[in-house]
Amino acid sequence: MKWSQTLIPTLKESPSEAEIDSHKLMIRAGLIRRITAGAYAYLPLGTLVLNKVITIVREEMNRAGAIEVFLPALQHLDLLKESGRLKVFGADLITFQDRHGKETVLSPTHEEVITYIVKNEINSYKQLPITLYQIQTKFRDEMRPRFGVLRSKEFIMKDAYSFDIDEKGLNNSYQLMYDAYCRIFDRCGLDYIIAEADSGAMGGDASHEFMVPSPVGEDILILCQNCGYSANRERAESAPFSPQENPSKEKVKEIFTPGKHTIAEVSDFLKVNPMQMVKTLIYSSHDQLFAVLLRGDHEVNETRLAGVLGLDSVELANLETIERVTGAKTGFAGPVGLKMKIVADHAVAAKSNFVTGANKTDYHLLNVNPERDFKIDQVANIRYVTKGDNCPRCNHVLEISQGIEIGHVFKLGTKYSIALKAHYLDADGKEKPKIMGCYGIGVNRIIAAIIEKSHDDNGIIWPMSLAPYHIIIIPVNVKDSICMDAAKDIYDDIRAMNGIDVLFDDRDLRPGVKFKDADLIGIPIKIIIGKKYTETKEVEIKLRKSGEVSFVRMENVRQELERILKNQTKI
Ligand SMILES: Nc1ncnc2c1ncn2[C@@H]1O[C@H](COP(=O)(O)OP(=O)(O)O)[C@@H](O)[C@H]1O
Ligand SMILES: [Mg+2]
Ligand SMILES: [Zn+2]
């Protein structure tokens, strides 16, 4: 491709709308332009990259035996109502009424649609297993679309759905996708971590997120450098603390703490560390009340809490309820004398002589001890991991970092097939729900994640697998016909090479501008035809990533390129 014939509008300055490097560079390198909040146009260079990602994804899906389909972006609300997910998506759904008044939605994902199709078209165990996938646009009215294509309202997802007759089949389908994801991200040149993720109703090892560690990532990642344990924040747990041996239990003392409700206020007022305090939260689930005890500096993880109690959801009780059951204004609840089930985090069970609410407005208790002063009904891991926590597997100290979620695999089980009645007839003639898995990859996000990791002050550094062009040919002076003829010869020669995409910078611009642009758009290999060519017939070959330079005679260019392409670690 000749630069003059395509559209690569590079910018010198970073646009003010962009906060992070990948977003800035995607705009400056002319890959994308913002059209409205969370919606981007892909210009020619961006489209080339997008198509390279899509090709890799498609090849690996097909290799894994998944079958491609293409579902509509439009669906009506009924399916989401039937699956019960209307509430889950809430304001993220982009809905409208069509001209007949039918409530219509731009699909945020396609579990319901695919289940509907498979329910109608697949009835027998003989037609299973099957994994169907598509590469298509999703719409979510994200609360905070930001960082360019990293979190947008309209984005391309590869979504796949597996249908099996039993759990063994599901495990097999899941593993095939998991392995395909590894191949995809490896081929894209991404460094990623596979983190255990919350697995909802399925429990166990039923969900993994593929994360690229990055300070701009919006997901929190818990990692153990010693044994490799990794999980997202929702899912991660820590090793329980061992209780102090034979603590000398002091006498309980009631203390006046006027108007001090929060951990911070009480900690300040009494000069005790929040670690020495216990907070009591009153929760409800289906009208059942229970109390949750956490160390003052810890935060409850409601997903875990619901999980350990075997409940579908839990919510904090309202103010009136709290005041009724504790007999005090909120902020003064405590476990002593409380008449309900008490669930305590491990860290609380291991503590002695702590400060907690007195169930009496404006009072707290000092020196409270579990077992002696109140009974814990259940000890469990119900909180988020914090700094200083240890690995649940090997007890090494855990690391907390951030990551970009680029893919997600999930064993769904029968959630959708039961809700939407997607059954099949088993070999013995019995009707059973199909067992499902779902698997998503953020296609646009891969591009942003790569750039975030692979760039320098001058611009993007593409891996060969995603580079819009592998080679750029730069004649330094387009008016010098000897150089220009040589550049054209090289261009024709490379165009004939298999699988190599080449860009010819035929613009009549100052060499400095052309070199800067070539670096900005990140082309792995530059071939520069300059003054030296007229003197010694040599051209310069320069690698974007390593900066390595070689001078080769015109007739050896092809050979040198083949040598470079063989050793892809440098490019
Ligand atoms: N708003 C978005 N913009 C870009 N990519 C997204 C967005 N939301 C999700 N993705 C991508 O789609 C993949 C599958 O989506 P899903 O797991 O349903 O998303 P989430 O975890 O945000 O609910 C994610 O791993 C991510 O790579
Ligand atoms: Mg996800
Ligand atoms: Zn570990």
Side-chain angles (χ1 to χ4, degrees):
M1 176 59 69
K2 289 185 176 154
W3 194 307
S4 64
Q5 287 171 3
T6 180
L7 175 65
I8 310 176
T10 57
L11 303 175
K12 270 209 203 76
E13 302 293 329
S14 281
S16 57
E17 74 191 66
E19 297 161 69
I20 60 169
D21 291 340
S22 58
H23 188 191
K24 287 178 191 162
L25 287 172
M26 284 183 83
I27 293 173
R28 281 191 57 210
L31 268 65
I32 56 164
R33 289 291 182 265
R34 194 182 92 126
I35 300 303
T36 177
Y40 290 85
Y42 279 75
L43 303 184
L45 218 50
T47 306
L48 286 171
V49 179
L50 198 58
N51 285 338
K52 293 214 169 170
V53 177
I54 288 173
T55 300
I56 291 174
V57 170
R58 181 174 280 131
E59 281 176 7
E60 294 304 337
M61 281 296 115
N62 293 346
R63 197 191 309 271
I67 311 294
E68 187 163 6
V69 292
F70 192 69
L71 308 175
L74 291 184
Q75 55 171 297
H76 54 76
L77 273 187
D78 300 356
L79 282 175
L80 285 166
K81 280 185 192 150
E82 244 178 275
S83 73
R85 280 217 292 182
L86 211 49
K87 251 204 353 234
V88 178
F89 283 110
D92 278 3
L93 281 184
I94 300 180
T95 54
F96 62 95
Q97 288 194 346
D98 74 3
R99 61 167 68 199
H100 306 295
K102 180 115 194 136
E103 286 199 287
T104 311
V105 56
L106 292 173
S107 296
T109 174
H110 282 85
E111 278 83 0
E112 288 83 356
V113 176
I114 199 83
T115 309
Y116 171 78
I117 292 171
V118 169
K119 161 199 166 125
N120 292 330
E121 311 302 335
I122 296 184
N123 319 311
S124 161
Y125 73 98
K126 289 183 194 152
Q127 297 166 283
L128 297 170
I130 191 164
T131 296
L132 300 167
Y133 80 97
Q134 65 167 344
I135 297 166
Q136 210 247 24
T137 306
K138 306 280 186 244
F139 299 86
R140 296 181 185 177
D141 195 356
E142 297 274 355
M143 174 97 95
R144 289 215 297 163
R146 60 184 196 146
F147 297 164
V149 301
L150 209 53
R151 180 170 297 282
S152 48
K153 292 193 189 183
E154 177 179 336
F155 59 96
I156 300 172
M157 198 197 286
K158 183 290 299 170
D159 45 328
Y161 307 90
S162 64
F163 296 85
D164 277 277
I165 58 167
D166 56 20
E167 193 139 342
K168 193 166 154 247
L170 168 63
N171 290 341
N172 187 49
S173 301
Y174 186 83
Q175 195 60 43
L176 284 170
M177 284 296 115
Y178 185 105
D179 294 343
Y181 275 37
C182 294
R183 291 196 301 271
I184 289 167
F185 300 133
D186 285 341
R187 283 180 63 184
C188 290
L190 284 159
D191 283 325
Y192 56 93
I193 284 172
I194 305 173
E196 288 179 18
D198 180 41
S199 47
M202 283 295 284
D205 201 13
S207 175
H208 291 90
E209 283 168 351
F210 289 74
M211 302 261 214
V212 175
S214 162
V216 306
E218 295 183 290
D219 290 276
I220 293 181
L221 202 58
I222 314 293
L223 297 173
C224 173
Q225 294 293 1
N226 186 47
C227 75
Y229 171 76
S230 55
N232 73 10
R233 183 168 187 257
E234 287 302 315
R235 163 85 180 183
E237 55 184 298
S238 48
F241 293 122
S242 13
Q244 213 184 324
E245 273 181 45
N246 304 319
S248 64
K249 296 180 181 172
E250 315 276 327
K251 217 169 141 246
V252 177
K253 208 168 120 195
E254 194 177 88
I255 189 151
F256 187 48
T257 50
K260 312 290 177 203
H261 333 239
T262 64
I263 290 285
E265 285 165 355
V266 179
S267 153
D268 258 10
F269 184 73
L270 296 177
K271 307 270 174 297
V272 277
N273 191 314
M275 285 169 80
Q276 203 41 44
M277 300 173 58
V278 164
K279 55 184 164 195
T280 307
L281 306 168
I282 312 291
Y283 267 91
S284 77
S285 179
H286 304 286
D287 294 335
Q288 282 288 323
L289 291 175
F290 55 95
V292 171
L293 304 189
L294 288 167
R295 210 170 76 182
D297 59 327
H298 286 158
E299 227 184 297
V300 64
N301 176 340
E302 292 186 351
T303 316
R304 290 199 74 85
L305 179 63
V308 301
L309 296 174
L311 299 167
D312 51 0
S313 68
V314 293
E315 54 184 8
L316 276 171
N318 60 32
L319 292 186
E320 285 140 48
T321 310
I322 296 171
E323 290 182 9
R324 178 170 51 80
V325 296
T326 63
K329 288 233 168 319
T330 54
F332 302 97
V336 182
L338 207 56
K339 286 191 184 54
M340 62 180 71
K341 177 174 174 159
I342 293 184
V343 185
D345 183 64
H346 280 292
V348 172
K351 276 213 99 52
S352 46
N353 300 322
F354 52 73
V355 176
T356 191
N359 294 326
K360 185 171 163 189
T361 302
D362 289 342
Y363 285 90
H364 278 79
L365 298 179
L366 303 184
N367 304 326
V368 172
N369 287 280
E371 298 318 310
R372 185 191 70 181
D373 304 322
F374 68 96
K375 197 170 144 300
I376 297 176
D377 297 295
Q378 189 172 350
V379 178
N381 208 318
I382 49 171
R383 66 179 173 89
Y384 289 113
V385 169
T386 56
K387 216 167 149 237
D389 274 329
N390 288 349
C391 176
R393 304 246 168 97
C394 76
N395 219 38
H396 188 265
V397 66
L398 287 170
E399 242 174 60
I400 303 179
S401 62
Q402 281 156 276
I404 300 169
E405 181 193 322
I406 46 170
H408 194 169
V409 291
F410 204 109
K411 293 181 194 171
L412 291 168
T414 53
K415 178 175 167 183
Y416 295 96
S417 42
I418 287 181
L420 303 174
K421 305 189 185 62
H423 296 124
Y424 71 94
L425 282 183
D426 205 356
D428 52 17
K430 276 209 193 91
E431 200 175 67
K432 292 182 180 160
K434 291 159 185 142
I435 318 261
M436 290 174 62
C438 70
Y439 317 90
I441 286 183
V443 172
N444 322 75
R445 213 177 250 189
I446 289 181
I447 300 174
I450 275 286
I451 299 174
E452 207 50 54
K453 282 272 141 186
S454 185
H455 69 270
D456 62 15
D457 291 345
N458 300 323
I460 301 169
I461 303 174
W462 290 114
M464 283 295 274
S465 59
L466 300 187
Y469 297 100
H470 303 108
I471 299 174
I472 182 167
I473 298 172
I474 309 175
V476 167
N477 178 0
V478 297
K479 294 205 181 83
D480 178 336
S481 63
I482 296 177
C483 287
M484 202 51 180
D485 285 346
K488 279 185 196 148
D489 283 348
I490 295 173
Y491 177 55
D492 287 338
D493 201 27
I494 295 173
R495 275 207 296 173
M497 283 170 81
N498 231 342
I500 295 297
D501 300 318
V502 56
L503 181 64
F504 185 30
D505 190 353
D506 58 343
R507 296 174 302 167
D508 186 6
L509 292 174
R510 279 186 293 116
V513 175
K514 300 214 291 188
F515 295 151
K516 275 213 168 81
D517 271 353
D519 278 349
L520 177 61
I521 67 171
I523 307 305
I525 303 170
K526 281 195 275 285
I527 303 179
I528 302 157
I529 301 102
K531 233 199 193 137
K532 207 169 164 89
Y533 180 73
T534 35
E535 293 156 9
T536 63
K537 294 277 172 268
E538 280 178 319
V539 304
E540 181 181 345
I541 299 183
K542 191 167 179 190
L543 305 186
R544 174 71 178 93
K545 187 165 145 192
S546 64
E548 200 178 292
V549 175
S550 53
F551 288 93
V552 284
R553 285 181 61 87
M554 176 77 180
E555 61 272 21
N556 296 330
V557 167
R558 179 88 177 240
Q559 205 184 354
E560 175 65 4
L561 285 177
E562 274 158 10
R563 188 190 67 80
I564 291 170
L565 292 171
K566 260 201 206 119
N567 183 8
Q568 292 222 355
T569 47
K570 284 212 177 128
I571 43 179

